């Protein structure tokens, strides 16, 4: 389903949208911003970011929100869909001079009603550890900028740790810190620990323990974002050189790579079960990458400019047996804790292990629907469904219909969709089916278990034993099978704690000379203001791939030439993988969007003007206009 309405209405800000689950509604009185609600002048400022934590207090209102706007950092009680936001009473507010906060992250393990540990990265390279409840600053890391002088692009606590955290910089370096250690008064000296294709890991040489413990040099140019897998064992890095690199974190081993269609990658996220990674960037696409197969399995086109954030919806992603239909038995809270409030590394009862058990031990068909979302600099929110006909084009469809067909059957098509939506006629899809299919490949045992995806409604339109022609649906264009890829099991590169480069203090033998990769500022900073829609991909068709290939190879001067990677497993051609269309594509802001977070009863977005918006899930609207307090702030922009 594309944006409702057409023509002049396309430029209107949407306050609700409909999916197969129902209507998502913007709660204008649950909007968070600076207390004066004045739109922030975003010229030259860093992106607005939002972090959440639950302090598990007894009042039932344990959610806390932190967001940065320009030089300011705010910390509020987050009331979500229940009550209106009271912006006059921030728990903590900080204004910085000479530098701006760029990113932040709470440690969910140590959070209580009396104390939280919040890491804040800054544009000048420092990292601050603060407690906004106690209103105190614990420590300042890289204070003298001896470790790295470039902007902090991403900061995360290491899952399951109360003291280790990881910091990425626009220099392309990634540093591992321990909050208990100091940073020293001299620049650190490094010794090569491990080196591989496009990355190197150095350990800090020092007589006494000091930060950083490790330095990763990843790719060329800025490291824009990284994300830990749900089990905390793998690390996905999105870089300005256009590469997604996935590492086994403890052993610092490269598990797999992917190349963007062109331009840099800006964002990355994991599916709740850790089997898929979605990345977005300057090619205006969202790219779905299989962890086990180490290859691109789909691309999504709906944005008209750079994709700034991608995120999986842990509540809408579901697993169910095809016969009989049964809903995923794990609770929303399990997913909620696993993704947004990442717990320890060993999650015996987590939904991730539940997914694995369901699919590795059961011979019965299991259907899964992955829902993920994306926001971009085109001010649009897109929602996507990843269904079994995309994941397994060579396997017979289960007898349950995919979620996307159910959606298209119950909601009217709107302008913006590039394919006709129907639920009965297969002729529409088959007449446009690409004829460039390569040799069909079957996923090895263990790699296709938990990804067969469908909904709990009706019978499938195709016989169970027939070859699955592309379904007549609105979120995928006709596609051919991709090239065969070498399969790697998720555990192939895992190492035990004993061989971990973090836990062990050994120095690598046979140190070789290491040519430092060029460290330069991200192109995104320089060109972000001048980027216009006519610089973007526009509507992609298979016919335009050659033209885009020429543009890609001419514009990119990275060591891995785009002309060499295009058409390979690193970067398949457009016609070689399915092209998804968004279920929902809505303009929801005046300025570029910088935040998308899925919570249990709502989703949260934010734009560069400094407005953090709450969208209630269907049936979760808890605040009616008549319940609005008289003293509620007014002047909502959206």
């Amino acid at each position: 389903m594309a944006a409702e309405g057409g023509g002049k209405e396309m430029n209107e800000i949407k306050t609700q949208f409909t999916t197969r689950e129902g209507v998502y509604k913007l709660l204008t009185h649950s909007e968070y911003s600076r207390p004066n609600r004045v739109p922030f002048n975003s010229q030259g400022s860093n992106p607005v970011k939002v972090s959440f934590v639950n302090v598990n207090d007894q009042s039932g209102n344990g959610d806390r929100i932190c967001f940065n706007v320009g030089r300011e950092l705010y910390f509020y009680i987050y009331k979500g869909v229940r009550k209106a936001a009271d912006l006059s009473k921030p728990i903590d507010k900080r204004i910085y001079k000479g530098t701006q906060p760029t990113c932040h992250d709470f440690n969910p393990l140590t959070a209580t009603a009396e104390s939280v540990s919040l890491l804040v990265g800054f544009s000048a390279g420092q990292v601050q550890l603060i407690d906004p409840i106690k209103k105190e600053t614990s420590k300042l890391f890289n204070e003298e900028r001896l470790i790295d002088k470039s902007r902090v692009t991403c900061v995360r606590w290491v899952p399951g740790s109360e003291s280790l955290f990881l910091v990425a910089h626009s220099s392309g370096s990634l540093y591992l810190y321990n909050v208990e250690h100091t940073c020293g008064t001299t620049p650190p000296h490094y010794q090569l620990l491990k080196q591989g294709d496009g990355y190197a890991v150095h350990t800090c040489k020092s007589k006494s323990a000091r930060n950083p413990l490790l330095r990763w040099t990843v790719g060329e140019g800025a490291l824009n974002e990284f994300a830990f897998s749900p089990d905390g064992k793998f690390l996905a890095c999105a870089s300005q050189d256009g590469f997604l690199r996935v590492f086994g974190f403890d052993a610092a081993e490269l598990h797999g790579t992917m190349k963007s269609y062109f331009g840099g990658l800006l964002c990355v996220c994991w599916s709740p079960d850790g089997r898929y990674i979605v990345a977005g960037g300057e090619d205006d696409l969202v790219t779905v990458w299989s962890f086990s197969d180490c290859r691109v399995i789909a691309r999504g086109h709906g944005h008209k400019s750079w994709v700034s954030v991608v995120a999986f919806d842990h509540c809408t992603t579901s697993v169910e047996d095809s016969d009989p239909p049964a809903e995923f038995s794990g609770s929303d809270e399990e997913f909620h804790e696993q993704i947004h409030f990442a717990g320890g590394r060993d999650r015996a009862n987590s939904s991730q292990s539940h997914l694995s058990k369901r699919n590795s031990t059961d011979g019965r068909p299991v259907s899964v629907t992955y829902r993920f979302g994306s926001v971009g600099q085109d001010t649009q929110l897109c929602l996507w469904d990843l269904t079994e006909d995309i994941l397994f084009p060579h396997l017979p469809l289960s007898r349950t219909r995919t979620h996307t067909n159910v959606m298209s059957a119950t909601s009217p098509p709107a302008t913006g969709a590039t394919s006709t939506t129907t639920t009965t006629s297969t002729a529409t899809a088959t007449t446009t089916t690409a004829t460039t299919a390569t040799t069909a490949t079957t996923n090895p045992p263990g790699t296709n278990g938990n990804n067969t995806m469908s909904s709990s409604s009706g019978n499938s339109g195709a016989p169970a034993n027939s070859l699955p022609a592309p379904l007549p649906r609105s979120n995928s264009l006709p596609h051919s099978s991709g090239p065969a890829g070498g399969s790697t099991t998720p555990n192939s590169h895992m190492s035990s704690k004993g061989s971990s480069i973090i836990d062990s203090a050994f120095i690598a033998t046979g140190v070789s000379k290491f040519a430092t990769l060029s460290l330069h500022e991200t192109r995104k900073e320089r060109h972000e203001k001048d980027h216009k829609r006519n610089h973007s991909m526009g509507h992609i068709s298979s016919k335009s791939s050659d033209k885009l290939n020429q543009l890609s190879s001419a514009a990119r001067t990275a060591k891995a030439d785009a002309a060499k990677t295009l058409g390979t497993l690193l970067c398949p051609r457009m016609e070689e993988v399915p092209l998804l269309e968004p279920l929902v594509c809505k303009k929801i802001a005046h300025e570029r969007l910088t935040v998308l977070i899925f919570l249990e009863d709502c989703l949260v977005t934010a734009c560069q003007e400094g407005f953090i918006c709450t969208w209630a899930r269907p049936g979760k609207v808890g605040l009616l206009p008549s319940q609005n307090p008289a003293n509620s702030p007014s002047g909502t922009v959206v």
Side-chain angles (χ1 to χ4, degrees):
M1 186 174 98
E4 294 178 354
K8 296 180 180 179
E9 295 182 4
M10 292 298 290
N11 293 322
E12 293 181 358
I13 303 299
K14 305 300 181 182
T15 58
Q16 67 179 44
F17 55 86
T18 303
T19 67
R20 54 181 166 79
E21 308 94 54
V23 180
Y24 289 74
K25 295 182 179 179
L26 176 66
L27 303 180
T28 56
H29 298 291
S30 294
E31 180 184 86
Y32 288 77
S33 67
R34 298 190 298 171
N36 58 12
R37 288 194 182 275
V38 175
F40 176 68
N41 181 5
S42 60
Q43 293 298 324
S45 66
N46 289 285
V48 173
K49 299 286 186 176
V50 173
S51 295
F52 284 98
V53 70
N54 190 291
V55 298
N56 298 314
D57 65 355
Q58 301 302 318
S59 66
N61 193 20
D63 289 332
R64 303 290 183 266
I65 183 174
C66 173
F67 58 91
N68 62 287
V69 181
R71 298 185 298 118
E72 303 166 9
L73 187 74
Y74 292 93
F75 182 71
Y76 282 96
I77 295 176
Y78 180 70
K79 299 178 181 178
V81 301
R82 297 179 297 277
K83 295 181 180 179
D86 184 1
L87 301 183
S88 64
K89 299 177 181 178
I91 299 176
D92 195 15
K93 172 187 175 182
R94 299 177 184 230
I95 301 178
Y96 297 92
K97 296 181 180 179
T99 186
Q100 295 184 2
T102 58
C103 51
H104 31 82
D105 189 43
F106 288 104
N107 192 329
L109 297 181
T110 60
T112 67
E114 293 77 31
S115 175
V116 293
S117 298
L118 177 65
L119 290 169
V120 184
F122 291 90
S123 56
Q126 303 94 335
V127 178
Q128 192 178 39
L129 175 62
I130 64 177
D131 188 333
I133 296 181
K134 293 182 177 179
K135 295 182 173 58
E136 64 183 23
T137 300
S138 299
K139 290 184 178 180
L140 184 60
F141 302 93
N142 194 29
E143 181 176 6
E144 302 298 327
R145 306 173 69 206
L146 298 174
I147 297 173
D148 201 306
K149 293 181 170 60
S150 64
R151 177 174 55 93
V152 176
T153 56
C154 186
V155 60
R156 293 278 188 273
W157 291 96
V158 174
S161 175
E162 296 184 3
S163 59
L164 298 177
F165 63 93
L166 207 56
V167 181
H169 288 258
S170 59
S171 64
S173 293
L174 192 66
Y175 300 93
L176 179 68
Y177 287 82
N178 188 323
V179 295
E180 306 298 332
H181 298 172
T182 62
C183 290
T185 56
T186 59
H189 295 281
Y190 299 103
Q191 183 165 352
L192 185 66
L193 183 63
K194 182 167 292 190
Q195 188 172 1
D197 185 15
Y199 81 101
V201 182
H202 290 74
T203 183
C204 184
K205 294 170 57 179
S206 177
K207 293 181 179 179
S208 58
R210 64 161 289 180
N211 284 318
L213 304 179
L214 294 173
R215 181 188 73 178
W216 299 52
T217 308
V218 181
E220 297 184 4
L223 202 168
N224 290 319
E225 189 177 35
F226 64 85
F228 283 99
S229 61
D231 61 8
K233 295 179 180 178
F234 289 86
L235 184 71
C237 299
S239 299
Q240 189 62 34
D241 61 7
F243 279 90
L244 166 73
R245 296 176 177 88
V246 181
F247 298 95
F249 180 62
D250 286 351
E253 293 181 350
L254 185 63
H255 170 76
T257 58
M258 182 270 287
K259 177 69 170 62
S260 67
Y261 201 74
F262 64 77
L265 287 179
L266 306 178
C267 51
V268 63
C269 68
W270 291 78
S271 64
D273 57 9
R275 290 180 176 259
Y276 298 98
I277 297 174
V278 171
E282 296 175 357
D283 54 9
D284 306 351
L285 300 170
V286 292
T287 303
V288 184
W289 189 80
S290 169
F291 177 86
S292 60
D293 293 344
C294 291
R295 65 182 182 91
V296 175
I297 60 169
R299 291 189 178 104
H301 180 237
H303 288 284
K304 299 180 178 67
S305 188
W306 295 353
V307 179
S308 52
V309 182
V310 287
F312 272 86
D313 184 352
H314 52 284
C315 294
T316 308
T317 295
S318 61
V319 180
E320 57 197 37
D321 292 330
S322 295
D323 187 18
E327 284 297 323
F328 164 58
S329 61
S331 65
D332 288 343
E333 287 77 8
E334 288 177 346
F335 265 129
H336 190 55
E337 292 172 0
Q338 179 185 351
I339 303 303
H340 293 289
F341 310 107
R345 294 179 180 238
D346 299 323
R347 300 182 177 91
N349 297 322
S350 69
S351 51
Q352 187 261 350
S353 60
H354 172 79
L355 283 168
S356 301
K357 292 174 183 176
R358 283 283 290 273
N359 298 282
S360 60
T361 61
D362 253 342
R364 294 174 297 172
V366 176
S367 58
V368 183
T369 293
Y370 294 90
R371 165 71 57 81
F372 64 94
S374 58
V375 294
Q377 297 192 16
D378 55 0
T379 72
Q380 292 192 130
L381 163 70
C382 292
L383 296 181
W384 315 79
D385 264 3
L386 199 55
T387 49
E388 63 179 344
D389 53 318
I390 297 297
L391 297 171
F392 306 107
H394 310 300
L395 298 181
L397 291 178
S398 64
R399 64 185 188 84
T400 54
R401 184 181 295 163
T402 62
H403 278 297
T404 49
N405 284 340
V406 176
M407 188 284 303
S408 60
T410 57
S411 58
T415 59
T418 57
S419 64
T420 304
T421 302
T422 175
T423 58
T424 56
S425 172
T426 57
T428 306
T430 55
T431 54
T432 57
T433 301
T435 58
T436 58
T438 57
T439 303
T441 59
T442 303
N443 290 336
T447 64
N448 62 358
N450 83 332
N451 303 316
T452 308
M453 299 174 6
S454 67
S455 80
S456 57
S457 77
N459 294 327
S460 172
N465 296 323
S466 65
L467 289 176
L471 292 182
R473 49 187 162 40
S474 63
N475 76 319
S476 176
L477 295 182
H479 59 275
S480 62
S481 60
S487 174
T488 308
T489 59
N491 296 324
S492 62
H493 291 288
M494 288 186 185
S495 64
S496 65
K497 287 284 183 177
S499 61
S500 166
I501 64 170
I502 299 174
D503 299 334
S504 60
F506 69 89
I507 301 298
T509 57
V511 176
S512 60
K513 292 182 180 180
F514 172 64
T516 304
L517 297 177
S518 59
L519 307 178
H520 54 80
E521 290 298 321
T522 171
R523 292 172 53 228
K524 181 175 181 292
E525 282 184 352
R526 298 197 297 269
H527 299 301
E528 195 171 70
K529 298 178 185 177
D530 301 327
H531 183 76
K532 298 179 180 179
R533 289 188 177 182
N534 59 350
H535 295 158
S536 303
M537 290 187 69
H539 292 282
I540 302 173
S541 65
S542 59
K543 295 181 180 179
S544 66
S545 62
D546 292 338
K547 184 177 180 180
L548 291 173
N549 298 346
Q550 296 172 2
L551 174 64
S552 174
S553 59
R556 301 297 297 170
T557 57
K559 185 163 64 174
D561 189 13
K564 297 178 182 178
T565 59
L566 188 65
T568 67
L569 282 177
L570 283 177
C571 181
R573 297 181 183 276
M574 293 302 298
E575 65 270 16
E576 291 176 341
V577 294
L579 186 61
L580 306 176
E581 289 183 8
L583 301 173
V584 169
C585 187
K586 298 289 186 183
K587 178 181 174 67
I588 61 171
H590 292 287
E591 284 289 333
R592 66 183 185 271
L593 294 165
T594 57
V595 171
L596 174 62
I597 300 174
F598 291 95
L599 300 179
E600 182 182 351
D601 51 9
C602 61
L603 60 92
V604 176
T605 61
C607 70
Q608 194 55 24
E609 285 185 318
F611 296 106
I612 291 88
C613 299
T614 298
W615 301 77
R617 291 184 186 271
K620 297 290 186 179
V621 179
L623 177 68
L624 300 176
S626 60
Q627 298 173 315
N628 178 35
N631 59 356
S632 176
S634 59
T636 302
V637 173
V638 179

